[in-house]
Amino acid sequence: MLSKRLPLFVLFGGVAGVLIGLFSPLLTAVIAPVGNIYIRLMEVVVLPYLISSLVLGLGQLAPQNAIKLFKKSWASYLTLWATTFIVLLVAASTVPLVERAAVVNFSDTLATSAGPNSSLIDLLVPDNFFQALTNNYIPSIVLIGLIFGIAVQQSEKPAELLAMLSAIRVACIRIWGWIVFLAPVGVCALFADTIGSMDPDGYAAMTIYIVVVMLSALVLGLWILPMMLTAFLPMRYWEIMSELKEAFLISIVTSLSVASLPMIQSAAQRIARKHCANENESEQREIIQTTLSISYPLAQIGNFFILAFLLYASFYFFIPLSGLQLLELPFVTLMSGIGSPTSSIGAVSFMASWLNMPSETTNLYVETMAITRYAQVLASVAGFAFITFLVTFTFYGRIRFDIKRFALTVAVAVVCLSGIWSLGRWGGTHIQLHSETNYLAMGLPDELQALGDQNLVSRLGPLPSATANAATAASGKGDDGRVDVLGLIQTKSVLRVGINPNVMPFTYENNDGRLVGYDVEMMYRFAQSMNVELAFIPYSWQTLTKDLADYKFDIAIGGIYITNYRLENVTVSNPYYENPLALIVRTDQIDDFSSRSKINAIENLTIAVFDDPVLVPQAKRSFPSAKIKVVKNYDGLAELQDVDAAIWTLEQARAWAISHEGFSTAVPRDTASRFLFGYLMPPNSPSLSDYLNYWMGLQKDNGVLADMAKRWIDPAATDVSGI
C-alpha cells in the first residue's frame, strides 16, 4: 500500500508547509482548505469501517467464541488503561497545582454554572443513533455496533448481510489506500495552516506541557507497550517493532490513528499464523477483526492525555481543582476519552465545562494538539496493537510470562519517566507556565498600533487651556446655542479622548510606556471608523465632570462608572459592561475577605482606594469599620505594608492581581454593589452619543466586541455589551 518514497515526499511536504505558513499568509489561506479536505477524506470512512467491522466480526463469531473473547479480553484492557494512567500520572505531576484562583467568588448571587454541552450518558447511550453519527459520538456508536453484532450473532447467519458488510469494510480500506497517496499535499496544507494560525503566546506558555506529552507518549508507544508484549508473547522487541513499522509510519504521515488499522490487522494475522498455526485461520481472522474494531475506541489511549492537558490548563488559567475533582478526573477522562482522536476535542469541551474552566480551554487544546497529536496518535496505534496481539494470544492460550523482560520494561520506563518528570519540573521554574495575562506586557493589536504613536504616555499632552476650550465650544455652537460635538470632531478631523492611565484593564500604561486597554482599543476603532485622528488628553477623577462641561475633550474613557450624578450632568453612552464590587487582597489572606461581616470583624482593617468620587464613598458605605486610605493610584499598592486590601470592581481587580505575584481578587458575600460602565461625553451631546451607541451595536453584531473582551477583560468572555 505504501510507496517506498512516500515518507520522503511527506517530509518535503511538511517542510514546504512550514515555510509557507511562516512567509506567505496569502498562500496559506489558499491551500488551507486542501488540508481540511484531506482530513475529512481520511475520516469519512471511519464510521462505516467501525460499524461494518463490529457487526461483521461479532456476527461471524459463534456465541461461545464471543463469550470466550469477552472473558479473555477484559484483563488486557485493564492492563493497558492502568499502564497508560501511570504514565499520565507522571506527566501530570510535572505541573504544580493551583492552590488559589486569581479570582475567588464568595458571592452566592454571582455564582454561574454552565451545564455541559453533552453528558457522559449522551456519549455512551444515545437516544438517537443518527444524532450520535452526526456528532461523532464514537463510544455510543461502538455500543450500538456491539448490540447489533450480538443480535446478528444470535440469529441465523445472514450470508447476504455479512457479505455486504465485508464488502463495505474492504472498500473502506481501499479508500484509505488511495487517500494515503495525497499525504504530501495534505500534510503541506495542514502544516502551513498550523504555523500560520499559531498563537506564539499560547505555545510559549504551554511549552512544558507540549514537551512532557510528546516525550511521555513516545515512551509509552515506542517502549513500554511493545516491550511489555514481549513479556507475555513469544516474540522479541525488534520483531514486534518490525511488524508495526508501517502502522506507525502511516499514522504519523496522516496524523490519523485509524489509518493504521489495516496494517495492524495484517501484522496480527501474520503473527497468529506463525505462533498459532494449529488454529482455524478463518476464526483467527474473525477474532482479530473483532478485537481490532473494539480496540479502536477503547484503546485510543492518545486521547487520555487530555488528563495532563487539563491539569496544565488549570495552571494556565489560574483555576484550582478540588480534591474530589482530582480523584474523579482519571475516571471521567477514561469515559470521556473513549472514541476517535477528533472526539477528544469534544471531551475537552465537556470536561472543561465540568471543571468550570473558560471556553478558551478547548481552543488552547486544539492549538497545542497541532503539535502533540503526532505523539498521541502513535501511542494510540501502540494501544491498538497491544490489545489485538495480547487478546489474540490469550484467546488461544499462547500467553506466557517472562519476569526478566517485564522487569527490564519497568526499569527502563522508570528511568525515562523520571527524566521526563525532572525536565518538566525544571522547565516549570524557567519557563512561564501561566497564560500571557500579565497585563503590563500586553499591547494593542498590530494593525491598530501601526496607526500611530499617540498612545505613548510620555507624549500625552496637557489639558487644553480655558481659552482654547472656549474657542472650541464657540466654533461648534449651532443656532440653538448647543455645541455639536460630533460636528466638531468631523470638522477638525480629531477625536479628543480624555483618559486616566491607571485603570486596568480598560486604560493603563504598559511596560513599553504605551496607553493600552479595552477602552483604548475601542477609541482607536471608533476614530478609524470616522476617519479622524486620535488625541489622548489626561484628566483627574475629581474634575472629570467639569472637564467635560468645559469641552476639554469629546469623550472620556477609563472603566468609568455610570452614576446618577453623571447621568444628570453629562451625556452617557449605553452601558457596555457590568461588574460587582471586589477587593485586591494577598492570596494567603483571601479567606478573611469572604463576606462583609468577616471583613468588618478584622481589627485595624485598612482598605486602600484611589481618589475616585465613586469608589471613596462606596468604600466607606460598604466597610464602615475600616480605615480608608486614599491613594493616587494602585501602581505602588504591592509595597503598601499597612494596607490589608484595596477596593475596585471585579475585572479591574482581577487584571491587577494577575499582574502582581502574591495577590488575588475576592468577591465577598453580602455586597450588593454592582457597577455599570459607560463612556462620558459633554452635556447635551445626543448626536455623538447616538452615533457611538449605534456603532457599538454594529461592533457587537460583527463579533469585534467579543474578540476585544477575550483579549482584555476575560479570556472566558464572549461578549461584554449584552446589558
Side-chain angles (χ1 to χ4, degrees):
M1 182 180 289
L2 285 175
S3 168
K4 292 182 179 180
R5 296 185 178 180
L6 182 59
L8 183 61
F9 294 153
V10 171
L11 178 60
F12 289 154
V15 172
V18 171
L19 295 176
I20 291 171
L22 288 173
F23 301 110
S24 181
L26 179 60
L27 185 55
T28 297
V30 170
I31 68 173
V34 177
N36 193 24
I37 293 171
Y38 171 67
I39 290 293
R40 293 189 180 196
L41 287 174
M42 292 297 297
E43 292 182 336
V44 74
V45 291
V46 170
L47 297 184
Y49 175 87
L50 196 55
I51 295 171
S52 62
S53 295
L54 283 170
V55 178
L56 176 64
L58 286 172
Q60 288 178 331
L61 284 177
Q64 62 271 22
N65 281 346
I67 295 173
K68 181 180 178 181
L69 181 62
F70 171 76
K71 290 180 177 179
K72 297 292 186 180
S73 62
W74 66 267
S76 300
Y77 282 104
L78 291 181
T79 301
L80 175 67
W81 293 339
T83 303
T84 301
F85 276 93
I86 289 173
V87 174
L88 287 174
L89 179 63
V90 175
S93 65
T94 59
V95 60
L97 294 177
V98 176
E99 299 296 334
R100 291 289 185 181
V103 176
V104 178
N105 189 346
F106 295 104
S107 175
D108 296 332
T109 60
L110 298 174
T112 59
S113 60
N117 294 327
S118 61
S119 67
L120 286 177
I121 294 178
D122 296 327
L123 292 172
L124 297 173
V125 187
D127 58 355
N128 187 324
F129 178 62
F130 295 100
Q131 183 181 10
L133 286 171
T134 301
N135 293 329
N136 198 27
Y137 288 170
I138 297 292
S140 59
I141 294 169
V142 170
L143 179 62
I144 295 297
L146 290 173
I147 293 172
F148 273 89
I150 294 171
V152 170
Q153 179 189 105
Q154 298 295 324
S155 62
E156 262 186 56
K157 302 299 181 185
E160 295 82 3
L161 173 62
L162 296 178
M164 182 182 68
L165 292 173
S166 179
I168 292 174
R169 187 178 177 283
V170 171
C172 291
I173 295 174
R174 185 174 294 116
I175 291 171
W176 278 327
W178 295 338
I179 298 171
V180 161
F181 287 99
L182 300 176
V185 178
V187 168
C188 176
L190 289 172
F191 271 53
D193 187 46
T194 298
I195 296 296
S197 59
M198 182 183 293
D199 180 1
D201 291 339
Y203 278 113
M206 295 292 283
T207 298
I208 297 302
Y209 160 75
I210 293 172
V211 171
V212 166
V213 166
M214 292 286 287
L215 294 177
S216 300
L218 291 175
V219 169
L220 179 63
L222 295 180
W223 172 258
I224 297 178
L225 295 182
M227 190 61 191
M228 191 179 293
L229 279 176
T230 68
F232 296 101
L233 310 184
M235 300 177 66
R236 295 189 178 278
Y237 175 79
W238 290 112
E239 184 182 356
I240 292 176
M241 295 302 290
S242 177
E243 290 288 353
L244 294 178
K245 63 181 180 182
E246 286 193 350
F248 285 137
L249 179 61
I250 191 62
S251 65
I252 293 175
V253 164
T254 61
S255 75
L256 294 172
S257 60
V258 70
S260 69
L261 297 183
M263 288 77 176
I264 295 176
Q265 179 177 330
S266 299
Q269 290 176 189
R270 287 193 299 270
I271 293 173
R273 282 195 299 268
K274 180 178 179 181
H275 296 279
C276 308
N278 297 330
E279 308 298 339
N280 185 302
E281 188 171 330
S282 175
E283 183 187 73
Q284 285 179 2
R285 184 169 58 253
E286 293 171 3
I287 294 297
I288 291 170
Q289 287 179 357
T290 304
T291 301
L292 186 57
S293 300
I294 297 173
S295 74
Y296 177 70
L298 299 182
Q300 195 83 235
I301 58 176
N303 285 5
F304 298 155
F305 280 86
I306 60 178
L307 182 148
F309 167 79
L310 288 167
L311 287 176
Y312 270 88
S314 73
F315 197 75
Y316 181 88
F317 289 115
F318 305 89
I319 296 175
L321 302 181
S322 68
L324 181 60
Q325 287 175 326
L326 291 173
L327 290 175
E328 294 173 339
L329 190 57
F331 174 76
V332 178
T333 298
L334 176 62
M335 301 304 295
S336 303
I338 291 174
S340 67
T342 52
S343 67
S344 67
I345 299 174
V348 168
S349 179
F350 163 74
M351 295 179 71
S353 177
W354 169 58
L355 297 172
N356 295 317
M357 291 186 179
S359 58
E360 285 297 291
T361 304
T362 304
N363 294 339
L364 183 64
Y365 178 73
V366 172
E367 289 177 1
T368 56
M369 189 184 178
I371 296 177
T372 62
R373 64 183 177 190
Y374 295 97
Q376 289 175 268
V377 163
L378 188 144
S380 291
V381 171
F384 304 157
F386 181 87
I387 290 296
T388 305
F389 292 1
L390 194 58
V391 169
T392 302
F393 275 70
T394 304
F395 187 88
Y396 291 112
R398 297 294 198 275
I399 293 294
R400 90 287 186 277
F401 183 65
D402 189 325
I403 185 63
K404 292 182 180 179
R405 291 184 180 179
F406 184 79
L408 177 61
T409 303
V410 173
V412 175
V414 168
V415 172
C416 293
L417 294 176
S418 298
I420 293 171
W421 185 87
S422 300
L423 176 64
R425 300 296 287 189
W426 173 85
T429 63
H430 292 81
I431 299 176
Q432 177 69 21
L433 290 177
H434 283 302
S435 59
E436 190 59 50
T437 48
N438 186 322
Y439 283 82
L440 297 175
M442 294 179 64
L444 295 174
D446 292 341
E447 67 272 16
L448 296 181
Q449 188 56 65
L451 297 177
D453 285 335
Q454 54 266 62
N455 66 330
L456 281 168
V457 175
S458 60
R459 297 188 183 181
L460 298 181
L463 282 169
S465 64
T467 303
N469 295 333
T472 298
S475 65
K477 284 186 178 180
D479 295 337
D480 58 357
R482 294 183 177 180
V483 177
D484 181 8
V485 180
L486 180 60
L488 272 175
I489 296 170
Q490 294 169 334
T491 300
K492 297 181 176 296
S493 294
V494 175
L495 174 65
R496 301 174 305 155
V497 179
I499 60 96
N500 187 303
N502 300 291
V503 187
M504 288 184 179
F506 297 95
T507 58
Y508 65 97
E509 181 182 358
N510 68 8
N511 287 333
D512 295 328
R514 293 189 180 279
L515 185 68
V516 297
Y518 181 91
D519 288 351
V520 174
E521 181 175 339
M522 183 77 80
M523 290 300 103
Y524 262 94
R525 295 185 182 278
F526 188 47
Q528 189 179 33
S529 72
M530 292 193 292
N531 196 28
V532 298
E533 297 293 327
L534 194 60
F536 292 107
I537 301 171
Y539 66 75
S540 165
W541 289 111
Q542 299 299 329
T543 61
L544 173 58
T545 304
K546 183 177 184 304
D547 291 341
L548 284 166
D550 292 340
Y551 298 96
K552 293 183 177 180
F553 32 80
D554 307 312
I555 187 169
I557 65 172
I560 300 175
Y561 313 133
I562 298 176
T563 64
N564 288 336
Y565 178 79
R566 287 167 177 169
L567 286 170
E568 293 170 356
N569 290 276
V570 295
T571 304
V572 182
S573 74
N574 291 339
Y576 64 88
Y577 196 52
E578 181 186 22
N579 231 205
L581 183 73
L583 294 170
I584 300 171
V585 300
R586 290 177 175 81
T587 300
D588 57 358
Q589 299 174 357
I590 196 168
D591 288 335
D592 296 334
F593 295 85
S594 60
S595 66
R596 187 204 295 257
S597 57
K598 290 186 70 174
I599 295 171
N600 287 327
I602 298 175
E603 294 184 6
N604 302 317
L605 174 67
T606 301
I607 294 180
V609 56
F610 63 85
D611 195 10
D612 177 90
V614 177
L615 285 181
V616 172
Q618 180 65 55
K620 294 177 179 178
R621 287 195 301 270
S622 298
F623 309 107
S625 62
K627 175 185 176 183
I628 304 301
K629 182 172 184 175
V630 179
V631 297
K632 182 179 180 182
N633 54 59
Y634 290 156
D635 288 351
L637 180 62
E639 284 73 44
L640 296 178
Q641 298 299 320
D642 60 336
V643 169
D644 300 294
I647 191 171
W648 222 347
T649 56
L650 173 58
E651 289 305 333
Q652 293 165 315
R654 170 186 170 276
W656 192 97
I658 285 178
S659 301
H660 295 81
E661 187 175 355
F663 288 87
S664 294
T665 301
V667 181
R669 285 188 293 271
D670 311 324
T671 52
S673 301
R674 300 185 70 85
F675 298 86
L676 293 176
F677 292 66
Y679 300 121
L680 306 188
M681 290 152 279
N684 300 314
S685 303
S687 58
L688 178 58
S689 176
D690 291 345
Y691 185 87
L692 175 62
N693 290 333
Y694 181 76
W695 177 83
M696 285 198 299
L698 293 178
Q699 304 313 298
K700 175 185 177 182
D701 293 340
N702 63 24
V704 171
L705 298 189
D707 181 64
M708 289 172 55
K710 290 179 181 179
R711 180 159 48 251
W712 295 108
I713 295 181
D714 184 354
T718 56
D719 184 23
V720 295
S721 57
I723 298 174

